[in-house]
Amino acid sequence: MKMILLGPPGAGKGTQAKMLSERFGIPQVSTGDMLRSALKAETALGLEAKRYMESGGLVPDEVVVGIVKDRLAESDCASGYILDGFPRTVAQADALKATLSSLDKELDAVVELVVDTEALVERLTGRRTCQVCGVGYHLRFDPPVDGALCRCGGELFQRQDDDESTIRHRLNVYLEQTLPLTEYYLGQDLLVQVDGMGEIPQVQALVLDCLQASK
Ligand code: AP5
Ligand code: MG
Protein backbone atom coordinates (compact mmCIF):
# COMPACT_ATOMS: atom_id res chain seq x y z
CA MET A 1 0.00 0.00 0.00
CA LYS A 2 1.51 3.27 -1.13
CA MET A 3 -0.82 6.12 -0.37
CA ILE A 4 -0.99 9.87 0.10
CA LEU A 5 -3.09 11.65 2.71
CA LEU A 6 -3.91 15.07 1.31
CA GLY A 7 -5.66 17.92 3.04
CA PRO A 8 -5.19 21.35 4.55
CA PRO A 9 -3.33 22.07 7.79
CA GLY A 10 -5.36 20.60 10.64
CA ALA A 11 -7.43 18.27 8.45
CA GLY A 12 -6.25 15.30 10.50
CA LYS A 13 -3.56 13.90 8.19
CA GLY A 14 -1.16 13.11 11.03
CA THR A 15 -3.90 11.68 13.26
CA GLN A 16 -5.27 9.41 10.53
CA ALA A 17 -1.81 8.46 9.19
CA LYS A 18 -0.72 7.25 12.62
CA MET A 19 -3.81 5.05 12.92
CA LEU A 20 -3.34 3.62 9.40
CA SER A 21 0.35 3.02 10.07
CA GLU A 22 -0.47 0.94 13.15
CA ARG A 23 -3.24 -0.93 11.37
CA PHE A 24 -1.27 -1.84 8.24
CA GLY A 25 2.22 -2.02 9.75
CA ILE A 26 3.67 0.45 7.25
CA PRO A 27 5.46 3.72 8.10
CA GLN A 28 3.93 7.16 8.21
CA VAL A 29 6.21 9.39 6.16
CA SER A 30 5.54 12.92 7.39
CA THR A 31 7.71 15.65 5.89
CA GLY A 32 6.56 18.02 8.65
CA ASP A 33 7.76 15.57 11.35
CA MET A 34 11.06 14.97 9.55
CA LEU A 35 11.70 18.70 9.19
CA ARG A 36 10.77 19.37 12.84
CA SER A 37 13.22 16.64 13.97
CA ALA A 38 15.95 18.22 11.82
CA LEU A 39 15.14 21.62 13.29
CA LYS A 40 15.30 20.26 16.84
CA ALA A 41 18.64 18.56 16.13
CA GLU A 42 19.90 21.78 14.49
CA THR A 43 21.17 19.93 11.42
CA ALA A 44 21.99 21.85 8.22
CA LEU A 45 18.59 20.78 6.86
CA GLY A 46 16.83 21.99 10.01
CA LEU A 47 18.58 25.35 9.89
CA GLU A 48 17.67 25.78 6.23
CA ALA A 49 14.01 24.86 6.83
CA LYS A 50 13.60 26.96 10.00
CA ARG A 51 12.62 30.32 8.49
CA TYR A 52 10.10 28.78 6.11
CA MET A 53 8.46 26.67 8.80
CA GLU A 54 8.28 29.43 11.39
CA SER A 55 6.52 31.75 8.97
CA GLY A 56 4.17 29.01 7.71
CA GLY A 57 5.61 29.04 4.17
CA LEU A 58 6.76 25.99 2.24
CA VAL A 59 10.32 24.68 2.36
CA PRO A 60 11.79 24.69 -1.20
CA ASP A 61 10.74 21.75 -3.36
CA GLU A 62 14.27 20.47 -4.02
CA VAL A 63 15.00 20.20 -0.28
CA VAL A 64 11.80 18.29 0.51
CA VAL A 65 11.99 16.07 -2.56
CA GLY A 66 15.53 15.07 -1.54
CA ILE A 67 14.55 13.99 1.97
CA VAL A 68 11.50 12.06 0.75
CA LYS A 69 13.51 10.21 -1.92
CA ASP A 70 16.05 9.15 0.73
CA ARG A 71 13.30 8.13 3.17
CA LEU A 72 11.38 6.03 0.62
CA ALA A 73 14.59 4.15 -0.21
CA GLU A 74 14.82 2.87 3.38
CA SER A 75 13.99 -0.80 3.93
CA ASP A 76 10.89 -0.23 6.10
CA CYS A 77 9.20 1.47 3.13
CA ALA A 78 9.60 -1.60 0.92
CA SER A 79 6.05 -2.86 1.50
CA GLY A 80 4.40 0.54 1.50
CA TYR A 81 3.98 3.84 3.29
CA ILE A 82 1.56 6.62 4.06
CA LEU A 83 2.72 10.01 2.82
CA ASP A 84 1.53 12.77 5.16
CA GLY A 85 2.19 16.38 4.11
CA PHE A 86 3.92 15.42 0.86
CA PRO A 87 3.49 16.24 -1.97
CA ARG A 88 2.43 19.84 -1.42
CA THR A 89 3.08 21.36 -4.84
CA VAL A 90 2.66 20.12 -8.38
CA ALA A 91 6.47 20.06 -8.72
CA GLN A 92 6.69 17.72 -5.69
CA ALA A 93 3.93 15.50 -7.13
CA ASP A 94 5.78 15.30 -10.46
CA ALA A 95 9.02 14.41 -8.64
CA LEU A 96 7.23 11.66 -6.70
CA LYS A 97 5.76 10.28 -9.90
CA ALA A 98 9.19 10.21 -11.56
CA THR A 99 10.76 8.50 -8.52
CA LEU A 100 8.05 5.85 -8.42
CA SER A 101 8.16 5.17 -12.14
CA SER A 102 11.96 4.81 -12.05
CA LEU A 103 11.33 2.01 -9.54
CA ASP A 104 8.50 0.61 -11.68
CA LYS A 105 6.00 1.40 -8.93
CA GLU A 106 2.72 3.30 -8.66
CA LEU A 107 0.61 4.93 -6.00
CA ASP A 108 -2.37 2.91 -4.83
CA ALA A 109 -4.52 5.72 -3.46
CA VAL A 110 -4.71 9.43 -2.69
CA VAL A 111 -7.18 10.25 0.06
CA GLU A 112 -8.12 13.88 0.63
CA LEU A 113 -9.61 14.89 3.97
CA VAL A 114 -12.18 17.66 3.51
CA VAL A 115 -12.75 19.96 6.52
CA ASP A 116 -14.29 23.46 6.90
CA THR A 117 -11.86 26.35 7.41
CA GLU A 118 -13.10 27.41 10.85
CA ALA A 119 -12.94 23.82 12.09
CA LEU A 120 -9.31 23.71 10.89
CA VAL A 121 -8.45 26.81 12.91
CA GLU A 122 -10.11 25.39 16.02
CA ARG A 123 -8.30 22.06 15.60
CA LEU A 124 -4.91 23.71 15.17
CA THR A 125 -5.20 26.24 18.01
CA GLY A 126 -6.19 23.41 20.40
CA ARG A 127 -3.57 20.90 19.26
CA ARG A 128 -0.99 19.66 21.75
CA THR A 129 1.74 17.06 21.10
CA CYS A 130 3.79 14.88 23.45
CA GLN A 131 7.43 15.84 23.35
CA VAL A 132 8.50 12.30 24.31
CA CYS A 133 6.42 9.94 22.13
CA GLY A 134 4.95 12.41 19.59
CA VAL A 135 1.31 11.43 20.19
CA GLY A 136 -1.12 14.23 19.33
CA TYR A 137 -4.03 15.53 21.42
CA HIS A 138 -6.64 18.23 21.20
CA LEU A 139 -7.67 20.22 24.26
CA ARG A 140 -11.35 19.81 23.39
CA PHE A 141 -11.71 16.93 20.91
CA ASP A 142 -9.10 14.49 22.21
CA PRO A 143 -8.02 15.78 25.63
CA PRO A 144 -5.08 14.34 27.54
CA VAL A 145 -6.33 12.34 30.54
CA ASP A 146 -3.83 13.82 32.91
CA GLY A 147 -4.16 17.58 32.36
CA ALA A 148 -0.89 18.68 30.83
CA LEU A 149 0.68 15.22 30.45
CA CYS A 150 0.63 12.48 27.82
CA ARG A 151 -0.36 8.88 28.61
CA CYS A 152 3.38 8.08 28.55
CA GLY A 153 4.04 10.77 31.16
CA GLY A 154 5.71 13.13 28.68
CA GLU A 155 5.02 16.84 28.69
CA LEU A 156 2.84 18.32 25.96
CA PHE A 157 3.84 21.25 23.78
CA GLN A 158 2.09 23.54 21.32
CA ARG A 159 3.62 23.75 17.83
CA GLN A 160 5.29 27.07 17.16
CA ASP A 161 3.33 27.49 13.89
CA ASP A 162 -0.02 26.89 15.60
CA ASP A 163 -0.74 30.51 16.55
CA GLU A 164 -3.75 31.92 14.75
CA SER A 165 -2.02 34.33 12.36
CA THR A 166 0.50 31.69 11.21
CA ILE A 167 -2.37 29.19 10.86
CA ARG A 168 -4.26 31.61 8.56
CA HIS A 169 -1.10 32.09 6.49
CA ARG A 170 -0.60 28.29 6.23
CA LEU A 171 -4.20 27.96 5.05
CA ASN A 172 -3.58 30.56 2.31
CA VAL A 173 -0.39 28.80 1.26
CA TYR A 174 -2.40 25.58 1.07
CA LEU A 175 -5.04 27.20 -1.17
CA GLU A 176 -2.43 28.66 -3.50
CA GLN A 177 0.10 25.85 -3.71
CA THR A 178 -1.45 22.57 -2.61
CA LEU A 179 -5.10 22.70 -3.65
CA PRO A 180 -4.13 22.24 -7.34
CA LEU A 181 -3.14 18.67 -6.36
CA THR A 182 -6.83 17.80 -6.04
CA GLU A 183 -7.27 18.29 -9.79
CA TYR A 184 -3.88 16.72 -10.45
CA TYR A 185 -4.83 13.43 -8.77
CA LEU A 186 -8.45 13.53 -9.97
CA GLY A 187 -6.99 13.68 -13.47
CA GLN A 188 -5.00 10.53 -12.71
CA ASP A 189 -8.09 8.79 -11.34
CA LEU A 190 -6.41 8.30 -7.98
CA LEU A 191 -8.16 10.79 -5.69
CA VAL A 192 -10.92 9.97 -3.24
CA GLN A 193 -12.39 12.73 -1.06
CA VAL A 194 -13.45 11.88 2.47
CA ASP A 195 -15.60 13.99 4.79
CA GLY A 196 -13.14 14.82 7.56
CA MET A 197 -15.63 16.71 9.74
CA GLY A 198 -16.69 13.74 11.89
CA GLU A 199 -15.03 12.45 15.04
CA ILE A 200 -11.58 10.85 14.67
CA PRO A 201 -12.83 7.18 14.64
CA GLN A 202 -15.62 8.04 12.18
CA VAL A 203 -13.13 9.63 9.78
CA GLN A 204 -10.88 6.58 10.12
CA ALA A 205 -13.79 4.30 9.19
CA LEU A 206 -14.49 6.41 6.07
CA VAL A 207 -10.83 6.31 5.05
CA LEU A 208 -10.73 2.53 5.48
CA ASP A 209 -13.90 2.16 3.37
CA CYS A 210 -12.26 4.18 0.60
CA LEU A 211 -9.11 2.10 0.70
CA GLN A 212 -11.16 -1.07 0.55
CA ALA A 213 -13.11 0.26 -2.44
CA SER A 214 -9.97 1.37 -4.30
CA LYS A 215 -8.37 -2.12 -4.13
P1 AP5 B 1 3.07 19.81 8.51
O1 AP5 B 1 3.62 19.30 9.77
O2 AP5 B 1 2.84 18.85 7.40
O3 AP5 B 1 1.78 20.63 8.86
P2 AP5 B 1 0.37 20.86 8.08
O4 AP5 B 1 0.20 20.34 6.71
O5 AP5 B 1 0.17 22.31 8.25
O6 AP5 B 1 -0.59 19.95 8.80
P3 AP5 B 1 -0.73 19.75 10.33
O7 AP5 B 1 0.30 18.80 10.81
O8 AP5 B 1 -0.81 21.08 10.99
O9 AP5 B 1 -2.21 19.12 10.38
P4 AP5 B 1 -2.69 17.61 10.23
O10 AP5 B 1 -3.54 17.52 9.01
O11 AP5 B 1 -1.57 16.64 10.36
O12 AP5 B 1 -3.65 17.53 11.50
P5 AP5 B 1 -3.53 16.67 12.86
O13 AP5 B 1 -3.79 15.25 12.57
O14 AP5 B 1 -2.33 17.03 13.62
O15 AP5 B 1 4.04 20.95 7.94
C1 AP5 B 1 4.55 21.96 8.78
C2 AP5 B 1 5.49 22.86 7.98
O16 AP5 B 1 6.60 22.09 7.48
C3 AP5 B 1 4.88 23.50 6.73
O17 AP5 B 1 4.18 24.70 7.04
C4 AP5 B 1 6.11 23.73 5.87
O18 AP5 B 1 6.84 24.85 6.32
C5 AP5 B 1 6.94 22.49 6.16
N1 AP5 B 1 6.65 21.37 5.24
C6 AP5 B 1 6.14 20.15 5.58
N2 AP5 B 1 5.99 19.38 4.50
C7 AP5 B 1 6.40 20.14 3.45
C8 AP5 B 1 6.43 19.91 2.04
N3 AP5 B 1 6.04 18.73 1.50
N4 AP5 B 1 6.88 20.90 1.24
C9 AP5 B 1 7.30 22.09 1.76
N5 AP5 B 1 7.27 22.38 3.08
C10 AP5 B 1 6.82 21.41 3.91
O19 AP5 B 1 -4.83 17.26 13.63
C11 AP5 B 1 -4.86 18.58 14.10
C12 AP5 B 1 -5.58 18.64 15.45
O20 AP5 B 1 -6.92 18.28 15.27
C13 AP5 B 1 -5.02 17.66 16.51
O21 AP5 B 1 -5.10 18.28 17.75
C14 AP5 B 1 -5.98 16.46 16.45
O22 AP5 B 1 -6.11 15.83 17.71
C15 AP5 B 1 -7.28 17.15 16.04
N6 AP5 B 1 -8.11 16.31 15.19
C16 AP5 B 1 -7.71 15.48 14.19
N7 AP5 B 1 -8.77 14.90 13.61
C17 AP5 B 1 -9.87 15.39 14.23
C18 AP5 B 1 -11.27 15.16 14.07
N8 AP5 B 1 -11.72 14.32 13.14
N9 AP5 B 1 -12.11 15.84 14.89
C19 AP5 B 1 -11.65 16.71 15.84
N10 AP5 B 1 -10.33 16.95 16.04
C20 AP5 B 1 -9.45 16.30 15.23
MG1 MG C 1 0.51 16.80 10.62
Side-chain angles (χ1 to χ4, degrees):
M1 161 91 73
K2 291 176 290 308
M3 67 171 288
I4 296 174
L5 270 177
L6 268 188
K13 302 180 298 295
T15 305
Q16 296 298 328
K18 227 172 220 66
M19 294 165 84
L20 293 171
S21 163
E22 280 160 19
R23 186 178 185 104
F24 295 119
I26 54 176
Q28 166 192 10
V29 175
S30 159
T31 41
D33 287 349
M34 289 191 273
L35 291 167
R36 276 184 292 279
S37 299
L39 211 146
K40 198 171 170 190
E42 298 184 346
T43 63
L45 167 68
L47 295 175
E48 186 178 358
K50 190 174 176 352
R51 65 194 164 104
Y52 301 102
M53 296 179 75
E54 283 181 351
S55 69
L58 293 185
V59 174
D61 288 334
E62 59 276 15
V63 175
V64 183
V65 166
I67 61 171
V68 172
K69 262 189 176 176
D70 290 349
R71 180 67 188 92
L72 298 188
E74 287 176 27
S75 59
D76 64 330
C77 289
S79 48
Y81 40 80
I82 302 145
L83 286 166
D84 157 14
F86 181 93
R88 245 179 163 97
T89 62
V90 170
Q92 291 180 18
D94 283 340
L96 176 65
K97 199 170 180 209
T99 303
L100 287 171
S101 71
S102 73
L103 300 167
D104 213 11
K105 291 192 168 151
E106 286 179 356
L107 285 170
D108 298 299
V110 179
V111 176
E112 180 178 20
L113 302 172
V114 181
V115 177
D116 294 350
T117 303
E118 289 316 307
L120 296 171
V121 175
E122 187 179 12
R123 286 184 187 184
L124 291 173
T125 48
R127 171 166 58 189
R128 298 293 183 271
T129 309
C130 174
Q131 60 185 7
V132 177
C133 69
V135 164
Y137 293 90
H138 190 280
L139 295 181
R140 178 169 162 215
F141 304 124
D142 185 15
V145 261
D146 184 10
L149 294 182
C150 176
R151 262 166 258 136
C152 80
E155 282 192 26
L156 304 181
F157 71 95
Q158 183 170 22
R159 257 170 60 176
Q160 206 253 350
D161 57 351
D162 275 348
D163 67 282
E164 192 166 339
S165 70
T166 312
I167 291 169
R168 300 244 177 230
H169 180 59
R170 285 159 60 203
L171 292 170
N172 285 333
V173 169
Y174 169 80
L175 292 177
E176 282 166 17
Q177 304 200 49
T178 309
L179 197 59
L181 293 182
T182 302
E183 287 299 321
Y184 180 98
Y185 285 118
L186 271 175
Q188 295 180 25
D189 218 9
L190 277 169
L191 187 96
V192 196
Q193 290 179 311
V194 165
D195 179 1
M197 289 293 291
E199 291 181 7
I200 293 168
Q202 286 172 325
V203 178
Q204 177 76 182
L206 292 175
V207 172
L208 290 172
D209 283 351
C210 280
L211 295 176
Q212 195 63 33
S214 70
K215 266 188 193 168

